[in-house]
């Protein structure tokens, strides 16, 4: 990596606007060729992708594997625009080639540009030290093509339980409206924050419910225990706040979303008079 530092030390040396270069190196073992059924003279490519969800930006680079001293190796340098990236990024690595399907029809026996291998989990690269504040950005909704509303909760459509909260979800406050300043400095009416809280609660549970076919409640809870700043951990916390276990909360998100919204409003004391 340039600057040449360990990933977990990057927030201490990186400055906003500073460009980054990440190098991904890989070596193919003999078992790769045996398991993939690909002859060693066939092109195979290493692909590296860096995704910054906070900036909604992605960078990609690729390089073919070459044989060096009887070892197949590849290096990929991925350039990241320091003026665009923020908060954290996810690094995904894959090996791409012509996959063999085993189909008797020769036309279907190969799959062009098949993903022959990938990292089990994307590598998280932090650019900032994360605190307890919810990820929030103040932007012009007119300039960014959003509707004329005071705020919006955006969840990455492909966010998974293991993703960091700052990569998975973000609260955007509309600076085109006068209320934005009050929302950001904490002086807006109490019901505004109650409504924002309701939106955050329901948005995260709706996302997890949408992708939960690939995850059990147990695996999500285990992910939550290993990283308290993950999307899975936040959803476990939200479910408990609403008075449900995670399984019930996700079922409501899928089958009865209005009941979930009403429960989230109730939990936030939405529009309840103080006294």
């Amino acid at each position: 990596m340039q600057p040449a530092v360990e990933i977990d030390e990057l927030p201490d040396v990186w400055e906003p606007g500073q460009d980054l270069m990440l190098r991904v190196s890989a070596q193919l073992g003999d078992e790769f060729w045996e398991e993939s059924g690909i002859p060693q003279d066939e092109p195979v490519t290493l692909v590296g992708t860096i995704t910054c969800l906070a900036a909604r930006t992605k960078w990609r680079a690729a390089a073919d594997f070459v044989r060096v001293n009887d070892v197949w190796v590849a290096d990929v340098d991925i350039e990241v625009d320091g003026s665009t990236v923020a908060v954290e990024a996810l690094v995904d690595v894959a090996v791409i080639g012509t996959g063999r399907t085993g189909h008797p029809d020769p036309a279907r026996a190969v799959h062009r540009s098949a993903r022959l291998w990938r990292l089990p989990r994307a590598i998280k690269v932090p650019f900032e030290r994360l605190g307890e504040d919810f990820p929030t950005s103040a932007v012009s909704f007119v300039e960014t093509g959003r509707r004329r509303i005071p705020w919006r909760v955006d969840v990455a459509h492909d966010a998974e339980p293991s993703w960091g909260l700052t990569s998975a979800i973000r609260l955007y406050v509309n600076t085109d409206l006068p209320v934005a300043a009050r929302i950001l400095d904490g002086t807006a009416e109490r019901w505004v924050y109650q409504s924002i809280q309701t939106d955050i609660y329901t948005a995260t549970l709706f996302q997890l419910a949408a992708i939960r076919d690939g995850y059990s409640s147990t695996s999500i809870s285990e992910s939550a225990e290993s990283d308290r700043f993950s999307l899975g951990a936040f959803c476990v916390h939200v479910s408990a706040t609403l008075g449900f276990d995670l399984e019930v909360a996700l079922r409501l998100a899928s089958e009865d979303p209005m009941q979930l919204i009403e429960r989230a409003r109730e939990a936030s004391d939405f529009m309840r008079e103080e006294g």
Side-chain angles (χ1 to χ4, degrees), residues 149-167:
I149 53 178
W151 67 82
R152 172 174 167 168
V153 179
D154 274 5
V155 183
H157 68 88
D158 52 351
E160 300 176 3
S162 61
W163 283 29
L165 195 62
T166 52
S167 291

Side-chain angles (χ1 to χ4, degrees), residues 20-171:
L20 292 157
M21 175 81 75
L22 279 79
R23 169 166 290 183
V24 178
S25 300
Q27 175 179 318
L28 297 178
D30 293 337
E31 64 274 12
F32 170 82
W33 306 103
E34 296 171 3
E35 294 176 4
S36 63
I38 296 175
Q40 293 190 15
D41 60 350
E42 190 168 285
V44 179
T45 303
L46 177 67
V47 177
T49 305
I50 298 178
T51 305
C52 178
L53 275 302
R56 300 297 191 261
T57 307
K58 182 178 292 188
W59 298 268
R60 182 181 183 275
D64 289 339
F65 280 87
V66 295
R67 193 166 190 167
V68 179
N69 297 326
D70 292 328
V71 178
W72 290 91
V73 296
D75 296 312
V76 172
D77 290 333
I78 311 171
E79 297 184 16
V80 177
D81 183 355
S83 64
T84 302
V85 76
V87 186
E88 68 180 15
L90 299 173
V91 181
D92 194 17
V93 181
V95 176
I96 305 298
T98 303
R100 269 51 175 185
T101 66
H103 197 283
D105 182 351
R108 300 180 181 180
V110 295
H111 174 26
R112 305 294 177 185
S113 300
R115 184 173 293 180
L116 305 174
W117 177 89
R118 68 172 297 181
L119 281 177
R121 178 178 297 182
I123 299 171
K124 189 183 301 181
V125 179
F127 298 106
E128 305 171 12
R129 295 292 181 198
L130 303 180
E132 299 293 339
D133 295 336
F134 191 83
T136 303
S137 294
V139 299
S140 166
F141 280 25
V142 170
E143 294 179 2
T144 55
R146 294 178 170 89
R147 295 187 181 278
R148 188 176 171 82
I149 53 178
W151 67 82
R152 172 174 167 168
V153 179
D154 274 5
V155 183
H157 68 88
D158 52 351
E160 300 176 3
S162 61
W163 283 29
L165 195 62
T166 52
S167 291
I169 185 170
R170 180 159 290 265
L171 168 65

